[in-house]
Amino acid sequence: MKPRKARVRAREPSRAPADELDGVFVAVARYFGLLSEPTRLRILHAICQQEQSVSAIVVATGATQTNVSRHLALMHQAGVVSRRREGSVVYYGVADPEFVSICRSVCVQIAGRIDAAAPLKRDLLGFAAQTL
């Protein structure tokens, strides 16, 4: 009779640590999702140096007031921008400097991949220089 080979069971990785991180991953994906819309990046660019009124943000971004207001509400709800009212005027500013830092880093990296003579690169590098 042949001796039986012992079966070696592969240890299954524990799901507990991954389960604990699932909520973090969802929150991070939402956070980075805020950067996935060009209008929100324009808004952030408009307010990164100082708070601006909604009408000033509309002018700076070239978007409609409805569109800007919708994006500002989303960013405010996420805690990325702050809002204050002065009479009938609402001003928005950066509430999360880390968000601006992440955005700036990515813009500089992308600009570095674009031809140096391209206006987009000059604009992005100018934006990064202003916010440093």
Side-chain angles (χ1 to χ4, degrees), residues 10-74:
R11 284 185 81 189
E12 293 184 24
S14 171
R15 280 289 294 157
D19 289 343
E20 291 171 9
L21 292 175
D22 284 347
V24 173
F25 293 149
V26 168
V28 170
R30 262 192 232 122
Y31 187 81
F32 284 132
L34 291 170
L35 292 173
S36 68
E37 169 58 48
T39 301
R40 287 188 283 254
L41 294 173
R42 287 185 198 100
I43 290 170
L44 191 60
H45 177 67
I47 65 172
C48 69
Q49 292 295 327
Q50 67 181 30
E51 65 181 16
Q52 299 287 334
S53 68
V54 175
S55 58
I57 296 168
V58 167
V59 170
T61 61
T64 65
Q65 182 170 350
T66 301
N67 199 17
V68 166
S69 293
R70 183 175 57 86
H71 288 296
L72 284 167
L74 182 68

Side-chain angles (χ1 to χ4, degrees), residues 68-88:
V68 166
S69 293
R70 183 175 57 86
H71 288 296
L72 284 167
L74 182 68
M75 294 168 75
H76 181 261
Q77 182 181 15
V80 173
V81 300
S82 61
R83 152 173 78 196
R84 77 174 175 86
R85 181 177 295 277
E86 192 173 290
S88 63

Side-chain angles (χ1 to χ4, degrees), residues 97-112:
E98 191 62 33
F99 191 75
V100 174
S101 178
I102 290 168
C103 182
R104 181 184 324 116
S105 296
V106 173
C107 286
V108 168
Q109 183 181 24
I110 298 298

